[in-house]
Amino acid sequence: MHITYYDGSNDIPYCREPTEYITVSYCDISDHRPPRQYYDMHTTERKNGRTDYYILFVISGSITVSVDGNDYKAEKGDLVIYYPNIPQKIVKRKSDNPANYWIHFNGYAIPEMLSQCGLAKSGVYTVGKTDVISDIFKQMILAQRLARNKIHINSLFMRFLSEIASSEETMMPEDPLSISQAERIVQGIIQMEWEYQKPRRISEYAKLCGMSPGRFSVVFKEATGKTPQRFIEDIRISKAREMLINTSLSMSCVAENVGFRDPLYFSRVFRRSVGMSPTEYRKNKLYFEKGDM
């Protein structure tokens, strides 16, 4: 049995610029491995593409896709991306044992983000990291099912892009020197913003960006004006300020929640950054609500 699905709902030229920085419309898993399917071949065709971006990540078997009139076989660990208004044709055959995650997303920041990740145009890219990326997709799908807020889902999507950006396979040009060091630092910044609560070594971020710890620290400061450690501390202090104003958590709980294991050290760093202790900051809540934040 063959099924062909023609999606004509989006056969309208893309003419409206997205108004949000980044937004995930929907994500899910498509599992056509036996015995889950009841047909020999399933074809999805969108002759004018969609009005948003679409990514398909293969986790089992292979899927045949058409991009710019050329057919490709995407296999386990491959990522397929379609930009808005690019014709799409996706063929899944029972004999190929296919399964994949997929996601629709948009936003005015997306083109630059995709470029930083090495996904500057529609096509098929080898990524690998199947287990890691599958875990992120599971978290996004769960967050979506539980109707979590957009910030939570979008942050998971940013983590997904971070994994793509840090892939050591074909996502990066063969000559790493062709990428400016400032662009490589972006990978570390994204990771820092995602996992600011975790006690990571600077050497781990340096490895992510393909640099020695010493070189990473120098280039990072040139790009951001801050040392890596200070950059992470500033993220933590910013989150702490929000928690001090919007929650009634104790100082030790706030410190732990933003990644400081020692409340006294948290207080010292907070005072150095803000000019007063966390307790004083909370007492002056009304003052800060008027404009400091």
Side-chain angles (χ1 to χ4, degrees):
M1 181 179 180
H2 295 217
I3 295 178
T4 301
Y5 171 57
Y6 294 98
D7 182 359
S9 61
N10 289 298
D11 287 345
I12 301 173
Y14 182 69
C15 59
R16 182 173 60 85
E17 292 294 330
T19 58
E20 296 187 41
Y21 182 76
I22 177 175
T23 182
V24 173
S25 303
Y26 203 78
C27 60
D28 211 337
I29 185 172
S30 179
D31 193 342
H32 295 279
R33 292 172 290 187
R36 298 176 178 85
Q37 62 177 14
Y38 303 96
Y39 45 81
D40 297 321
M41 184 171 72
H42 183 279
T43 301
T44 298
E45 187 169 6
R46 301 181 176 100
K47 295 182 178 180
N48 291 318
R50 289 179 55 95
T51 60
D52 56 9
Y53 296 83
Y54 173 60
I55 279 180
L56 177 156
F57 184 75
V58 184
I59 57 173
S60 173
S62 63
I63 298 171
T64 301
V65 299
S66 179
V67 183
D68 292 331
N70 298 311
D71 290 337
Y72 301 92
K73 178 166 284 190
E75 301 180 330
K76 181 179 178 180
D78 285 348
L79 178 151
V80 182
I81 181 168
Y82 285 104
Y83 273 59
N85 306 311
I86 299 297
Q88 302 176 11
K89 186 174 182 180
I90 303 164
V91 180
K92 300 176 182 178
R93 296 179 175 86
K94 182 177 182 179
S95 58
D96 290 334
N97 200 39
N100 67 275
Y101 288 103
W102 55 268
I103 185 167
H104 295 294
F105 56 98
N106 213 336
Y108 60 80
I110 292 300
E112 177 63 23
M113 289 183 179
L114 294 178
S115 178
Q116 294 285 351
C117 294
L119 304 173
K121 62 180 181 178
S122 301
V124 180
Y125 298 81
T126 298
V127 179
K129 297 189 174 185
T130 308
D131 292 340
V132 174
I133 292 179
S134 292
D135 182 62
I136 297 173
F137 264 105
K138 289 173 185 176
Q139 293 181 58
M140 284 195 288
I141 293 170
L142 179 60
Q144 183 177 258
R145 295 289 192 277
L146 297 176
R148 296 282 176 82
N149 60 54
K150 286 185 177 181
I151 294 177
H152 179 69
I153 297 175
N154 289 346
S155 67
L156 289 170
F157 180 67
M158 290 290 288
R159 182 185 171 198
F160 164 70
L161 292 182
S162 176
E163 290 295 338
I164 299 301
S166 64
S167 172
E168 296 179 356
E169 297 187 26
T170 62
M171 300 306 301
M172 306 297 285
E174 292 182 3
D175 179 11
L177 296 179
S178 64
I179 303 176
S180 75
Q181 293 177 328
E183 288 176 327
R184 290 159 67 185
I185 287 296
V186 170
Q187 300 174 32
I189 290 175
I190 292 174
Q191 197 71 13
M192 288 175 181
E193 291 176 340
W194 167 248
E195 56 181 22
Y196 65 89
Q197 298 164 304
K198 297 181 180 180
R200 297 293 191 193
R201 293 186 177 91
I202 300 304
S203 60
E204 294 180 64
Y205 295 112
K207 183 178 180 180
L208 173 68
C209 297
M211 301 181 188
S212 67
R215 184 58 183 166
F216 173 76
S217 296
V218 171
V219 175
F220 191 96
K221 188 169 184 179
E222 290 177 352
T224 67
K226 302 176 182 178
T227 65
Q229 186 61 41
R230 183 59 182 269
F231 187 87
I232 295 171
E233 287 181 352
D234 285 352
I235 295 174
R236 291 174 173 174
I237 294 303
S238 177
K239 299 296 182 182
R241 291 173 72 177
E242 293 177 11
M243 295 184 71
L244 288 168
I245 287 180
N246 298 314
T247 75
S248 58
L249 292 174
S250 67
M251 298 302 154
S252 59
C253 284
V254 170
E256 184 175 358
N257 275 308
V258 299
F260 287 96
R261 300 295 176 260
D262 183 350
L264 293 178
Y265 180 65
F266 162 66
S267 183
R268 288 199 299 271
V269 174
F270 192 97
R271 180 182 290 278
R272 183 189 67 196
S273 177
V274 181
M276 62 183 71
S277 71
T279 302
E280 293 171 328
Y281 185 85
R282 174 171 276 171
K283 288 180 179 179
N284 286 280
K285 174 181 177 180
L286 180 60
Y287 171 78
F288 287 102
E289 285 182 336
K290 288 181 179 180
D292 185 69
M293 290 293 289

